Amino acid sequence: MSDRPRSMSTQEFYDRAPTLYLMVKFLTAATIGASLLFLAGLTITGTVITLILATPVLVLFSPILVPAGIVTFLAAARFLFSDGCGVTAITLLSWVYGYVMGKHPPGADQLDYARMKIADKDRDMKERAKEYGRCYLIKEKLCKVNEFFYVLSSDFIWAVP
C-alpha cells in the first residue's frame, strides 16, 4: 500500500473517456438549452418593450379596462371551478362504480378498514347505551326506595343495603 497515486494505463484512460454517444447527447442538450434560453430572453424583452409602449394607453383606458379585467377574471375563475367540480364528480363516480362492481380501486382497503372501525364503534356504543339505560333504571328505582343507598362507579351501579 503505497501513498503514491497509481498511474493509468492507456487502455484505462480510453475506457474512462466519454463515448461519442455521450458527447453527442451533451452537445444536443447544450444546443437546445442555449436556444431555449435565447428565446426566453427575446420573449421577456418583447414583453418589457410592449409594456413600456402600452402603459399610456392602459392609463387612459384604465376606468374601462380594470372592471372588464375583473369581470373576465371572475368569469374565467367560475368556468375553471365548475370544470374542476365536474372532473372531480366524474372521477368520484367512476371510482364508486369500480368499488361497487368489485374492481378494487385505489383506496378501497382504507375505506373498508374505516367502515369496519365505525361499525365496531357503533356496536360498542349500542352496548354501552343499553348498559347505561339499565343502570339508570336501577338508579331511579333505588332513589325511590329510601332504605337503599347506591354506589355509582364508572361502569355499574351497586345497590348497598
Side-chain angles (χ1 to χ4, degrees), residues 30-75:
T31 305
I32 291 173
S35 301
L36 290 176
L37 190 61
F38 177 73
L39 288 175
L42 281 178
T43 304
I44 200 162
T45 303
T47 304
V48 169
I49 290 172
T50 305
L51 189 60
I52 289 171
L53 294 176
T55 299
V57 175
L58 290 174
V59 169
L60 288 174
F61 291 108
S62 64
I64 297 168
L65 294 177
V66 169
I70 292 171
V71 168
T72 305
F73 172 75
L74 292 176

Side-chain angles (χ1 to χ4, degrees), residues 103-120:
K103 295 181 181 177
H104 199 72
D109 292 335
Q110 295 171 343
L111 182 67
D112 291 337
Y113 177 74
R115 188 182 60 201
M116 287 184 344
K117 292 284 278 188
I118 290 172
D120 290 343

Side-chain angles (χ1 to χ4, degrees), residues 131-132 134-140 142-143 149-160:
E131 187 64 36
Y132 181 75
R134 275 190 254 134
C135 290
Y136 185 73
L137 290 175
I138 292 171
K139 179 180 170 184
E140 287 295 317
L142 288 176
C143 288
F149 298 108
Y150 58 90
V151 178
L152 177 64
S153 77
S154 62
D155 296 325
F156 297 100
I157 298 174
W158 292 286
V160 179

